[in-house]
Amino acid sequence: MSTLVFGHKNPDTDSVCAAIALADLKKKLGEDIVPAMQGALNPESTFVLEKFGVAGPELVTSYAGKDVYLVDHSDLAQSPDDLGEANILGIVDHHKLGDVTTGQPLECWIWPVGCTCTVIASMYNYFDVEIPKDIAGIMLCAILSDTVIFKSATCTDADKKICAQLSEICGESDLEALGIEMFKVKSAVEGTPIRELVFRDYKDFNMSGNGVGVGQLELVDLSIVDGIKADLEKDIQALKDEKGHHSVFLMLTDIMKEGTELLIASDDASVVEKAFGVAPADGKAWLPGIMSRKKQIVPDLEKTFG
Amino acid sequence: MSTLVFGHKNPDTDSVCAAIALADLKKKLGEDIVPAMQGALNPESTFVLEKFGVAGPELVTSYAGKDVYLVDHSDLAQSPDDLGEANILGIVDHHKLGDVTTGQPLECWIWPVGCTCTVIASMYNYFDVEIPKDIAGIMLCAILSDTVIFKSATCTDADKKICAQLSEICGESDLEALGIEMFKVKSAVEGTPIRELVFRDYKDFNMSGNGVGVGQLELVDLSIVDGIKADLEKDIQALKDEKGHHSVFLMLTDIMKEGTELLIASDDASVVEKAFGVAPADGKAWLPGIMSRKKQIVPDLEKTFG
């Protein structure tokens, strides 16, 4: 039975591409392993895989009895519900250390960089395995996506250095153009159901016993969502009630203006002012300079709830 | 304020030497960092540091408000009591993933190898930093200690390969002789209070809500403890009562015969037969081939309690 490697629920481009890349590397190191994912591909990931001619991971929802590697997360809330019955061989990630634990020694490569694929490309280098051209292309896109074309606060020199290497391997030299091409696909909202937009890049957190959901739409221009903003606000309110959460937030991030309009559905909206120093008006707050959920939203919210 | 790097409570040679080595590496990578330890040096560690002329880490018991790296553990039970008030920058380890979590991205190098120092020596290689002769010597000893001179089930090819490299750097060519010299120091019991022997290499675990303590004495010959065995049995019973634990076990490991006599103080000694298939007699059980607490004792106990 093959080992499975997979990213978080509601997979984004990093979760998908990291699973594919780690499976490729581990296979070359002698393991019987295939990439998997917990949910369907989003439009951006579909675009990236098609662009470089790479097949998507298998959709797998149950992992009981399997040997597994986790990529791009170490939180039980973002893992399969039956992860406790799987045997975790390792974790490759770039987030805070979550509440996943193991009963056996394992292999963790978790670095404070902008993208899991930066860590995996470094692993190829460490194990002296050549990075294939197509895998280089999708890892490059994952890093451009996670670091918002190097603009995010999460972006490090290690990400830029690895991108230069990947760019040379896959032959994509204009990274700004490649990034904007990708973000235009990511920005598209026409014809997409509202709930699907809320869930496009959405994560649940347990903050000191409070359920908190944070979604994010990265947009090349905020005006793209002008016509549907009221519907988005209504939907995160409904989602909060369905989940019994304390709060559900939706980040509308303008990647060119480099800031986020935060839509708020909360039992106590004052957490937003406490966390970010901006008083919400009419269920919304503009947070200049804020582009990263992981580095600029979640830690401050956790401190406020803690 | 310098960052502190430290190993688990009741520090063993790996925890001490890994802290010293990681501090050396990180300092050379530009960080302001010093090694620390949560408790006093044991006789083996003292011998190793003296042999290579390396100063011991500072004894530090409170870590609140400090930036820290953890080595050789990721369990809260083995961490400082005020770890929650520290800022964890990273973890270098070779155990199962414990219940330490963070609010910020961090740097984890956790590999399923025999010793933390094997991971740290590999980090020197990854970052292309030269390993100093004295640091190579103490890392070599830590690996020989943790892998019981390559005999433990935890020992991997990576450990042996790194030892060959370290041996060349520090000029110690007879690793078997160096290992036995070290284990003779470790085996010495004369003049040491009984409780100190129980605590020489002791760890507490939370197994599905049950407190379980497991100590280990690695001996070049079991006969060394013939005269004090009854006192050791009495003392782990007392320790179990003091801690309110379900069980306290003491592994008397014969590193030459390659097996362990397990001394048992337990509310329900049948867990030993369930976990290891050997019925205890008179509060003791001989477990042939068992030498590793981490790989051969703790996982089977956790399954039995789980």
Side-chain angles (χ1 to χ4, degrees):
Chain A
M1 197 174 52
S2 301
T3 296
L4 296 175
V5 48
F6 58 89
H8 53 71
K9 283 179 176 159
N10 300 300
D12 60 4
T13 298
D14 188 26
S15 268
V16 167
C17 299
I20 294 169
L22 188 60
D24 177 72
L25 172 62
K26 286 286 180 181
K27 200 180 292 175
K28 285 167 180 163
L29 293 173
E31 297 187 33
D32 173 16
I33 180 169
V34 294
M37 58 183 178
Q38 297 191 64
L41 292 173
N42 68 25
E44 185 194 57
S45 304
T46 304
F47 166 82
V48 168
L49 295 182
E50 274 174 10
K51 184 172 180 78
F52 293 96
V54 175
E58 198 183 337
L59 181 65
V60 178
T61 50
S62 171
Y63 294 82
K66 303 273 171 71
D67 287 339
V68 301
Y69 286 94
L70 275 54
V71 292
D72 203 25
H73 73 295
S74 64
D75 280 301
L76 291 173
Q78 295 167 27
S79 288
D81 297 337
D82 57 2
L83 184 71
E85 294 157 68
N87 177 35
I88 303 173
L89 300 182
I91 302 173
V92 183
D93 191 18
H94 67 121
H95 296 88
K96 68 197 181 71
L97 188 58
D99 52 2
V100 167
T101 60
T102 67
Q104 292 277 2
L106 78 170
E107 179 185 4
C108 294
W109 298 70
I110 305 173
W111 293 359
V113 295
C115 182
T116 308
C117 282
T118 299
V119 185
I120 296 178
S122 306
M123 290 172 70
Y124 273 99
N125 293 341
Y126 178 81
F127 291 109
D128 207 13
V129 172
E130 203 181 322
I131 303 175
K133 196 173 168 178
D134 55 349
I135 301 283
I138 65 171
M139 288 201 288
L140 176 62
C141 283
I143 301 170
L144 292 174
S145 174
D146 264 17
T147 64
V148 194
I149 322 173
F150 309 137
K151 290 174 190 167
S152 169
T154 62
C155 186
T156 67
D157 285 344
D159 298 301
K160 291 178 192 166
K161 209 172 144 193
I162 286 291
C163 276
Q165 180 192 352
L166 296 174
S167 151
E168 203 153 295
I169 295 170
C170 75
E172 292 283 338
S173 53
D174 190 342
L175 301 188
E176 178 83 12
L178 175 62
I180 289 176
E181 193 186 356
M182 200 169 54
F183 274 101
K184 276 192 180 149
V185 175
K186 195 174 197 169
S187 296
V189 299
E190 263 167 63
T192 308
I194 291 293
R195 178 58 62 91
E196 218 169 278
L197 291 174
V198 171
F199 273 169
R200 189 173 273 174
D201 180 9
Y202 174 89
K203 286 180 186 170
D204 282 314
F205 300 88
N206 180 332
M207 298 191 180
S208 304
N210 300 288
V212 177
V214 188
Q216 183 172 29
L217 288 177
E218 286 168 323
L219 305 165
V220 288
D221 192 326
L222 271 197
S223 67
I224 293 171
V225 291
D226 276 351
I228 57 167
K229 204 181 283 179
D231 292 333
L232 290 169
E233 294 185 68
K234 215 180 292 170
D235 197 59
I236 61 169
Q237 186 64 49
L239 182 60
K240 179 186 102 60
D241 296 341
E242 287 161 33
K243 290 200 174 251
H245 273 4
H246 180 285
S247 303
V248 172
F249 303 107
L250 183 61
M251 301 170 64
L252 304 176
T253 301
D254 189 319
I255 69 162
M256 304 312 280
K257 289 203 190 75
E258 305 194 14
T260 288
E261 182 172 37
L262 193 68
L263 304 188
I264 303 159
S266 177
D267 291 340
D268 176 11
S270 77
V271 294
V272 172
E273 186 165 4
K274 280 178 205 146
F276 308 112
V278 175
D282 198 20
K284 294 186 271 290
W286 172 251
L287 307 177
I290 301 288
M291 301 180 74
S292 163
R293 171 174 55 201
K294 187 180 69 168
K295 202 143 179 173
Q296 298 174 299
I297 294 286
V298 170
D300 288 333
L301 278 178
E302 285 192 322
K303 254 181 238 154
T304 306
F305 278 102
Chain B
M1 196 174 53
S2 301
T3 296
L4 296 175
V5 47
F6 58 89
H8 53 73
K9 283 179 175 159
N10 300 301
D12 61 4
T13 299
D14 188 25
S15 267
V16 168
C17 298
I20 294 169
L22 188 61
D24 176 73
L25 172 62
K26 286 285 181 183
K27 201 180 292 176
K28 285 168 180 163
L29 293 173
E31 297 187 32
D32 172 17
I33 180 169
V34 294
M37 57 183 180
Q38 297 191 62
L41 292 174
N42 69 25
E44 186 195 56
S45 304
T46 304
F47 166 82
V48 168
L49 295 181
E50 275 175 8
K51 183 171 181 79
F52 292 96
V54 175
E58 198 184 336
L59 180 65
V60 179
T61 50
S62 171
Y63 293 82
K66 303 275 171 69
D67 287 340
V68 301
Y69 287 94
L70 275 54
V71 292
D72 204 26
H73 72 296
S74 66
D75 279 300
L76 291 172
Q78 295 167 26
S79 289
D81 297 337
D82 57 2
L83 184 71
E85 295 157 69
N87 177 35
I88 302 174
L89 300 182
I91 303 174
V92 184
D93 192 17
H94 68 121
H95 296 87
K96 69 196 180 71
L97 188 59
D99 52 1
V100 167
T101 60
T102 67
Q104 292 277 2
L106 78 171
E107 179 184 4
C108 295
W109 300 69
I110 305 174
W111 293 359
V113 295
C115 182
T116 307
C117 282
T118 299
V119 186
I120 295 177
S122 306
M123 291 172 69
Y124 273 98
N125 292 341
Y126 178 81
F127 290 109
D128 208 14
V129 172
E130 203 182 324
I131 304 175
K133 196 172 167 177
D134 55 349
I135 301 284
I138 64 171
M139 288 201 287
L140 176 62
C141 283
I143 301 171
L144 291 174
S145 174
D146 264 16
T147 65
V148 193
I149 321 173
F150 309 137
K151 288 174 192 169
S152 168
T154 61
C155 186
T156 68
D157 285 344
D159 298 301
K160 291 177 192 168
K161 212 173 140 191
I162 287 292
C163 276
Q165 180 192 352
L166 296 174
S167 150
E168 204 153 295
I169 296 170
C170 75
E172 291 283 339
S173 52
D174 190 342
L175 300 189
E176 178 84 12
L178 175 61
I180 289 176
E181 193 185 354
M182 200 170 52
F183 275 102
K184 276 192 180 147
V185 175
K186 195 174 197 168
S187 297
V189 297
E190 263 166 61
T192 309
I194 291 294
R195 179 56 63 89
E196 217 169 279
L197 291 175
V198 170
F199 273 170
R200 189 172 273 174
D201 178 9
Y202 174 90
K203 287 180 186 171
D204 281 315
F205 300 88
N206 181 332
M207 298 192 180
S208 304
N210 299 288
V212 177
V214 187
Q216 183 172 27
L217 288 177
E218 285 168 322
L219 305 164
V220 288
D221 192 326
L222 271 196
S223 67
I224 293 170
V225 291
D226 275 351
I228 57 167
K229 204 181 283 181
D231 292 334
L232 290 169
E233 293 185 68
K234 214 180 292 172
D235 196 60
I236 62 169
Q237 185 64 49
L239 182 60
K240 181 186 100 62
D241 296 341
E242 287 162 33
K243 289 201 173 251
H245 272 3
H246 179 287
S247 304
V248 171
F249 303 107
L250 183 61
M251 299 170 65
L252 305 176
T253 300
D254 188 319
I255 69 162
M256 304 313 279
K257 288 201 190 75
E258 304 194 15
T260 288
E261 183 172 36
L262 193 68
L263 305 188
I264 303 159
S266 179
D267 290 340
D268 174 12
S270 78
V271 295
V272 172
E273 186 166 4
K274 280 178 205 144
F276 309 111
V278 175
D282 199 20
K284 293 187 271 291
W286 171 252
L287 307 177
I290 301 287
M291 300 179 75
S292 163
R293 172 173 55 200
K294 187 180 69 167
K295 203 144 179 172
Q296 299 174 299
I297 294 285
V298 169
D300 288 332
L301 279 178
E302 284 192 324
K303 255 181 238 156
T304 305
F305 278 102

